[in-house]
Amino acid sequence: MVAPRIPYVLPFPPPLIHPQNATTLSAAIDAVTSFLESRNIVILTGAGISVESGLADYRGEKGTYRLNRSYRPIFYEEFAGNHEARKRYWARSFLGWSILEKAKPNRTHKSISILGKQGVLNHVITQNVDSLHHTCHPHLRTTELHGTLRTLTCLTCRSLYPRVEFQKTLAKLNPKWAEFLHTFGEAGISDRDYRREANITTNPDGDVDVPGAPYTKFRYPPCPKCLNSNDIKVLVDEQGSHRPSEQLATNGVLKPSITFFGESVAPEAKAEAEEMVDKCGGILIVGTSLATYSAYRLAKASHDAGKGVGIVNLGGVRGEDLFFSKEGKGKRLRVDFGSGDILGGVAKNFGGEVVEKEEGETPVRGGGGIWGMER
């Protein structure tokens, strides 16, 4: 069995700007406006659009995977088959959830909402798991290709649970961690200076690393439905936290409703995204380097069908040499600007209101340690 790996850890080539005059912001906005004039374009978004909301990106401007080079996301087989790996995951996620929960849609999300109301866009496909698209524009159909962190799914009975309630249970099972999180929050969880001084590292998908933290002592609960079932045996300790045995390793294990590395995209999300690309006249790729195959294949499908391919992204993108080769038959667009600047201007060009830039936060990374809990 081939071990799963993180795709594309090396930089992508520089972007291939098209049209060639789209090197200024105003020219780039006009080029994207022209691309969207057919009003039959599906938009595909990635982590880059949520940076202004204070969430961490996966890649830098050169397309390299790890902005924080020491960060390694958990793989599905690790989570499903390793109790210690789950403890570490839920401990870091317990701290990171506060950042995600407080995140608000930014001007990119708001501009997409405006374009949806104007009939310019009628469908969004997103790789993001923060659900900020749903929060900002519930009127605009959105396919969450990689799921959402807002819910959990039981690996045994497939029941869904809200993350908000799960977070409360984690706090009860881990009072010292809850105390630390409370202190962390009071100091300003969105205060990057505090995080820098404290050497606290934020990573994508609601992951927070506190050097020296005793992850092995973290407790997490099992699925309530499985726990109360007569047909499914679930072991818990005296506090009610999960205590798996070798034979019952995954019974009642709750997993975030997202697609981990090494896990297949949910069939219904995959089918819906493919249907939208099949029906559209082109695809506009925003804030993603298309490094994951689930996203790249949608752009390639549009290219292969002779449809339009447009890219709004800072830095290189997978497949640019193909999309902008002589084989490309549909409209082509490539601009190297941030999504907020571009889509805000595009929304205005289509007669929408001006979406002002709000004070955003760039995630901070570091090392060291301030963990005050007893090991």
Side-chain angles (χ1 to χ4, degrees):
M1 178 175 166
V2 179
R5 62 181 178 82
I6 298 169
Y8 292 95
V9 296
L10 297 176
F12 287 114
L16 301 169
I17 305 303
H18 186 84
Q20 292 184 356
N21 70 332
T23 54
T24 66
L25 180 58
S26 60
I29 289 172
D30 288 343
V32 177
T33 302
S34 175
F35 184 82
L36 291 173
E37 280 178 346
S38 67
R39 296 175 182 258
N40 187 27
I41 303 295
V42 64
I43 187 168
L44 171 65
T45 67
I49 76 163
S50 291
V51 170
E52 282 192 15
S53 294
L55 303 181
D57 195 0
Y58 279 97
R59 297 173 184 271
E61 291 186 12
K62 293 183 179 179
T64 50
Y65 177 73
R66 283 170 279 190
L67 288 171
N68 170 17
R69 293 183 179 277
S70 66
Y71 174 62
R72 178 187 176 279
I74 194 168
F75 287 80
Y76 176 75
E77 291 300 329
E78 290 180 89
F79 185 91
N82 190 311
H83 178 51
E84 293 302 316
R86 287 195 293 272
K87 287 196 287 186
R88 181 179 180 275
Y89 175 87
W90 283 125
R92 294 164 66 118
S93 180
F94 174 69
L95 299 178
W97 171 250
S98 297
I99 298 174
L100 182 72
E101 189 178 29
K102 292 179 180 179
K104 296 179 180 179
N106 59 50
R107 57 186 175 146
T108 298
H109 301 99
K110 293 173 183 176
S111 298
I112 290 172
S113 178
I114 292 170
L115 292 170
K117 290 178 179 177
Q118 294 170 321
V120 178
L121 298 172
N122 56 24
H123 197 103
V124 176
I125 301 171
T126 185
Q127 300 172 77
N128 298 341
V129 294
D130 52 39
S131 291
L132 291 178
H133 279 296
H134 281 305
T135 300
C136 185
H137 47 74
H139 60 281
L140 185 56
R141 189 177 175 187
T142 300
T143 299
E144 292 180 313
L145 194 61
H146 297 155
T148 176
L149 284 170
R150 307 278 173 173
T151 62
L152 300 97
T153 305
C154 176
L155 294 181
T156 306
C157 70
R158 310 309 298 177
S159 296
L160 291 175
Y161 298 95
R163 176 56 198 265
V164 172
E165 295 304 316
F166 184 74
Q167 184 78 358
K168 293 176 183 177
T169 304
L170 290 179
K172 290 177 182 178
L173 288 173
N174 302 278
K176 288 187 177 180
W177 285 78
E179 181 182 349
F180 174 80
L181 182 58
H182 179 69
T183 303
F184 185 25
E186 283 188 342
I189 198 164
S190 58
D191 185 338
R192 58 184 173 186
D193 291 331
Y194 170 76
R195 278 154 52 186
R196 183 185 296 111
E197 291 172 9
N199 293 315
I200 293 171
T201 305
T202 61
N203 297 303
D205 294 351
D207 177 276
V208 169
D209 181 22
V210 180
Y215 298 127
T216 58
K217 293 191 175 184
F218 198 82
R219 297 184 174 95
Y220 63 91
C223 166
K225 184 176 179 180
C226 288
L227 184 62
N228 295 318
S229 170
N230 294 324
D231 302 320
I232 302 171
K233 188 173 182 181
V234 178
L235 301 179
V236 293
D237 63 18
E238 60 277 9
Q239 282 81 35
S241 65
H242 208 278
R243 184 169 61 85
S245 68
E246 222 175 281
Q247 296 77 22
L248 309 172
T250 61
N251 278 13
V253 169
L254 291 171
K255 169 188 170 294
S257 302
I258 64 173
T259 302
F260 280 171
F261 280 93
E263 185 179 11
S264 298
V265 172
E268 57 274 18
K270 179 183 176 183
E272 186 172 89
E274 289 175 347
E275 179 187 1
M276 291 305 105
V277 172
D278 184 56
K279 290 180 178 179
C280 75
I283 189 168
L284 180 65
I285 297 147
V286 182
T288 173
S289 60
L290 297 180
T292 58
Y293 186 70
S294 56
Y296 170 72
R297 63 190 296 274
L298 296 174
K300 188 174 184 298
S302 185
H303 166 83
D304 291 346
K307 299 179 180 181
V309 176
I311 301 173
V312 178
N313 190 61
L314 286 167
V317 169
R318 177 183 184 179
E320 287 194 61
D321 53 342
L322 171 65
F323 302 146
F324 296 95
S325 67
K326 293 180 180 179
E327 297 176 23
K329 296 178 182 178
K331 292 181 71 173
R332 291 295 180 266
L333 163 77
R334 179 60 168 108
V335 298
D336 189 36
F337 287 93
S339 59
D341 291 330
I342 293 293
L343 293 188
V346 170
K348 182 181 177 182
N349 277 355
F350 277 103
E353 60 191 86
V354 177
V355 182
E356 298 293 344
K357 182 178 181 180
E358 296 182 10
E359 188 65 28
E361 179 189 13
T362 301
V364 179
R365 299 155 179 87
I370 62 156
W371 193 257
M373 286 169 37
E374 184 181 1
R375 295 193 186 186

